[in-house]
Amino acid sequence: MLNMDDEAIIKAYKRYARNYDLIFGKIFEHGRRQILKKMNCRSGDHVLEVGIGTGITLPFYSDHVNVTGIDISPDMLQVAKKYVNGNKAAKKSLFLMDAQQMSFADNSFDKVAAMYVVSVVPDPEALVAEMKRVCKPGGDIFILNHFSNHNLLPKMVETVMLPFRNLIGFSPRLSMDWLIKNMDIPVVEVDSVNLFGYWTLIHAKNGDH
Ligand SMILES: C[S@@+](CC[C@H](N)C(=O)[O-])C[C@H]1O[C@@H](n2cnc3c(N)ncnc32)[C@H](O)[C@@H]1O
């Protein structure tokens, strides 16, 4: 059963779905491209993108990489379907699924990415725990997001936006330090990406589990 927050998220992304790429395509593209570069996918790799949304990254992958995308919003996935029709369908698949409770077996993927998703889900710890579980030991985990900013102006903007979390479809306040501590996996690299370096890309290596 979905809790209220998940229902609000589904509603918010129903509103966004048709125009998502137009609004959030270019502005967030640098971060997405950086992840793809760092993934350095080899032929036959199995990649999981949680919260894949409209499938905006799918054209970035080579045809020889197996990409699985999941999302909780049927409306966002509906837009993504255009990328899995046709000849490339075999290597790209989409599922309607809650990333906080995935139905994949342990150790299923070589690389697992969450692009602009950890501050959307009600339970970021459950999301990260699931990402770790389905990622092979030694596999790569990528988290790209905006995290709480301690500078005065961004902090004020975040405070003003906070009560509108359910309406805008993400929480403007999530601490990276808290997340990294709770992730309990070795962080390889942390980079600033996108406009003003206001977003952060975390690359971690999955441990044994
Ligand atoms: C800000 S969008 C990011 C979409 C895409 N990753 C991108 O790079 O633009 C957040 C996405 O996460 C999805 N999402 C939110 N909660 C989720 C959950 N519990 N499980 C799976 N997807 C979820 C939303 O439906 C939405 O498509």
Side-chain angles (χ1 to χ4, degrees):
M1 188 74 182
L2 296 177
N3 65 31
M4 271 311 290
D5 279 353
D6 282 336
E7 283 174 10
I9 288 161
I10 290 168
K11 266 193 199 158
Y13 285 92
K14 186 183 181 70
R15 285 195 301 272
Y16 280 134
R18 258 183 62 193
N19 299 312
Y20 183 89
D21 291 5
L22 200 65
I23 305 168
F24 300 110
K26 283 286 166 218
I27 194 163
F28 289 163
E29 183 164 320
H30 176 241
R32 298 187 189 102
R33 293 246 179 223
Q34 287 300 107
I35 288 198
L36 266 286
K37 211 161 144 188
K38 285 179 195 294
M39 272 185 180
N40 194 19
C41 288
R42 284 176 298 193
S43 181
D45 272 354
H46 287 263
V47 176
L48 172 68
E49 268 197 45
V50 300
I52 193 163
T54 57
I56 198 161
T57 50
L58 286 174
F60 300 170
Y61 292 94
S62 117
D63 296 351
H64 309 289
V65 176
N66 302 283
V67 185
T68 302
I70 66 163
D71 205 283
I72 203 167
S73 160
D75 300 276
M76 293 290 271
L77 279 183
Q78 186 59 38
V79 180
K81 277 185 188 157
K82 64 175 180 277
Y83 298 114
V84 299
N85 292 330
N87 292 338
K88 295 179 185 173
K91 299 265 181 189
K92 314 262 189 289
S93 31
L94 299 170
F95 298 97
L96 186 64
M97 197 187 291
D98 182 352
Q100 300 160 116
Q101 239 179 327
M102 294 189 245
S103 55
F104 302 119
D106 297 357
N107 311 333
S108 295
F109 299 95
D110 301 293
K111 300 162 203 300
V112 180
M115 307 189 197
Y116 313 110
V117 183
V118 282
S119 61
V120 177
V121 296
D123 189 348
E125 278 179 292
L127 170 74
V128 174
E130 277 293 85
M131 290 173 73
K132 287 168 62 179
R133 181 184 69 75
V134 301
C135 184
K136 293 176 184 171
D140 297 285
I141 293 182
F142 297 92
I143 293 175
L144 168 58
N145 220 81
H146 162 70
F147 293 101
S148 306
N149 193 302
H150 302 296
N151 295 326
L152 187 63
L153 190 61
K155 204 171 171 177
M156 279 167 62
V157 174
E158 288 164 14
T159 307
V160 170
M161 287 169 76
L162 201 57
F164 302 103
R165 178 187 189 284
N166 281 346
L167 187 68
I168 57 178
F170 64 91
S171 169
R173 184 106 6 115
L174 177 67
S175 158
M176 184 177 79
D177 295 341
W178 172 85
L179 189 73
I180 286 179
K181 195 166 156 240
N182 282 274
M183 277 167 75
D184 193 27
I185 49 171
V187 172
V188 178
E189 230 179 345
V190 175
D191 290 315
S192 298
V193 295
N194 294 341
L195 199 64
F196 308 126
Y198 194 51
W199 283 259
T200 305
L201 197 174
I202 303 168
H203 175 199
K205 280 273 174 202
N206 202 24
D208 289 328
H209 47 83

